Amino acid sequence: MSCNILDLVRPNIKKMQPYSSARDEFKEGGESFVFLDANESPVDNGINRYPDPQQRKLKEVISKRKGIDCHQLLLGNGSDEVLDLLFRAFCDPNIDNVITLPPTYGMYAVLANLNAVENREVLLDSNFEPNVDGILKAIDARTKIVFLCSPNNPTGNTFSTERIEKILSSFYGLVVIDEAYIDFSEKKSWLSELESYPNLIICQTLSKAYGMAGLRIGSLFASANIISILNKIKPPYNINVLSQEKAFEELLNINKLKNTISSIKEEKESLIKVLLEVSFIKKVYPSDTNYLLIEVDDALKRYDQLLKNGIVVRNRSSQPLCTNSLRITIGTSEENDKLIQIIKQL
């Protein structure tokens, strides 16, 4: 199904002129230039100047790593900001709707409520896969976005390629695939399909496998047309100087990333073997992420027991299809050993 992106944009966003910051207007220069354009302090302390509003240096290394053109990349103050920008650019408040697939990442619903956009929930099936027929039935003329979290949070599984392809091919609006945990999955990213589907948007993050949660940097990959629309409404200096510089520095060390992912996967497999032998654990769900969803006899009881012993996990029992479930992030070898020791005592 063909998709004209401009048809999906809110009318007021189409018409608006973006704010032009001082550094947007001036793109070339060097240390020899005298900057008297942005009302900054002239006293050099390393952070007295505004950051690059387009994060060009950081985008260049991310684009090279991902094999995607810089013009198809938007960086945000965490993935939550780029997701919020999608609502603001494409969804008319109190008119449009989006579709989410519980159990899933809770911020989709929060952002829908924040932007006064109806959130139509279509539950995953019993295998935690998208109910494609249910999704297509829920779509109407005012549906702007379908959110797919793959690998999914909190269930940990990567969605079927065939099911995602059917949604992309059958839906006129935007399909957002949130790949926050894709670096842990054996399945490939959907980045290679951007040219095939003009309505495809992919979100990734530096918070998980890259170990930079404290920097708050999220990535959104899409067509240059979609990126251009989102750039109109993003805050001018949304990623600070220190975050840009530290992220750039960390991204140069590809071996560190590979070693981290490998270590987490090994720890996960070791932890699974132990958990499967625990009497009160009924099931350990397959995981393509850095966490495990487990079904226990009494989630609240086990959560409180772990907490009293200094172990903090996440009780996901309030989520659909996740009765008596706990989500456990894979920690260091020492942290996992402590978890195992406590669990065996319960």
Side-chain angles (χ1 to χ4, degrees):
M1 182 180 293
S2 61
C3 175
N4 185 342
I5 296 302
L6 287 178
D7 290 342
L8 302 173
V9 182
R10 290 171 55 183
N12 64 308
I13 301 298
K14 286 183 188 178
K15 297 176 183 177
M16 72 173 283
Q17 292 296 316
Y19 173 75
S20 180
S21 69
R23 294 297 129 82
D24 276 317
E25 295 172 354
F26 183 81
K27 298 181 175 63
E28 303 294 335
E31 295 181 0
S32 61
F33 279 70
V34 176
F35 291 102
L36 304 177
D37 57 337
N39 302 335
E40 306 149 315
S41 170
V43 180
D44 185 6
N45 60 5
I47 53 173
N48 60 304
R49 298 295 181 187
Y50 284 111
D52 175 5
Q54 289 300 323
Q55 307 97 28
R56 293 172 182 84
K57 182 179 176 182
L58 181 55
K59 280 182 179 176
E60 184 177 345
V61 68
I62 293 176
S63 297
K64 185 176 181 181
R65 176 73 52 82
K66 301 294 183 178
I68 300 295
D69 189 273
C70 287
H71 295 96
Q72 293 181 278
L73 170 61
L74 178 85
L75 297 182
N77 184 11
S79 295
D80 295 338
E81 181 178 52
V82 297
L83 291 169
D84 186 42
L85 290 175
L86 290 173
F87 279 95
R88 292 170 180 258
F90 293 98
C91 298
D92 273 307
N94 301 308
I95 296 176
D96 291 331
N97 66 78
V98 299
I99 293 176
T100 62
L101 314 181
T104 191
Y105 181 45
M107 277 303 295
Y108 308 142
V110 171
L111 292 171
N113 288 329
L114 179 64
N115 288 282
V117 174
E118 179 190 358
N119 176 30
R120 297 185 175 180
E121 297 184 338
V122 180
L123 294 186
L124 298 176
D125 67 19
S126 59
N127 295 315
F128 296 142
E129 286 281 357
N131 175 0
V132 178
D133 290 340
I135 293 169
L136 298 182
K137 287 179 182 178
I139 290 170
D140 64 16
R142 301 309 310 188
T143 305
K144 290 294 185 70
I145 308 174
V146 174
F147 288 97
L148 306 173
C149 188
S150 180
N152 188 45
N153 180 6
T155 60
N157 60 306
T158 306
F159 291 157
S160 157
T161 299
E162 292 73 23
R163 297 196 189 200
I164 293 179
E165 284 177 342
K166 186 171 181 180
I167 296 168
L168 280 165
S169 301
S170 305
F171 178 44
Y172 180 79
L174 302 176
V175 177
V176 176
I177 303 180
D178 188 343
E179 294 187 337
Y181 301 93
I182 193 62
D183 297 288
F184 300 104
S185 177
E186 297 302 319
K187 292 188 178 180
K188 69 176 184 177
S189 167
W190 281 84
L191 285 174
S192 60
E193 299 298 324
L194 280 176
E195 300 304 322
S196 302
Y197 300 100
N199 60 332
L200 173 60
I201 294 174
I202 296 162
C203 295
Q204 295 186 0
T205 181
L206 297 184
S207 295
K208 309 302 181 183
Y210 288 87
M212 296 185 240
L215 297 185
R216 307 306 302 126
I217 297 178
S219 304
L220 184 148
F221 302 88
S223 68
N225 286 337
I226 292 175
I227 299 300
S228 178
I229 293 162
L230 297 176
N231 270 323
K232 289 178 69 174
I233 64 171
K234 84 167 187 69
Y237 302 114
N238 59 327
I239 300 180
N240 68 72
V241 170
L242 299 180
S243 289
Q244 290 189 43
E245 291 180 351
K246 183 60 177 177
F248 177 83
E249 175 187 321
E250 289 289 321
L251 285 170
L252 295 180
N253 192 346
I254 185 63
N255 289 329
K256 180 180 179 181
L257 171 66
K258 291 179 178 178
N259 291 337
T260 297
I261 293 174
S262 177
S263 174
I264 289 173
K265 286 183 175 181
E266 290 177 4
E267 286 293 323
K268 179 172 67 174
E269 293 306 313
S270 297
L271 184 58
I272 289 173
K273 292 178 182 178
V274 176
L275 295 178
L276 288 172
E277 298 175 353
V278 177
S279 60
F280 66 79
I281 295 178
K282 297 183 176 182
K283 186 171 184 177
V284 178
Y285 290 94
S287 173
D288 295 326
T289 67
N290 66 331
Y291 56 84
L292 295 171
L293 186 71
I294 65 172
E295 182 185 352
V296 298
D297 55 352
D298 187 329
L300 183 58
K301 173 184 175 181
R302 302 306 178 183
Y303 174 85
D304 287 340
Q305 288 177 329
L306 289 171
L307 192 60
K308 288 177 181 177
N309 285 277
I311 303 290
V312 184
V313 297
R314 197 86 190 269
N315 187 347
R316 296 283 75 192
S317 301
S318 62
Q319 293 284 302
L321 308 177
C322 295
T323 303
N324 279 324
S325 293
L326 301 176
R327 193 190 70 193
I328 303 175
T329 304
I330 307 302
T332 63
S333 177
E334 293 76 16
E335 290 170 335
N336 296 331
D337 287 344
K338 182 178 180 181
L339 170 67
I340 291 169
Q341 178 185 1
I342 297 301
I343 282 181
K344 286 182 174 180
Q345 296 173 359
L346 299 181

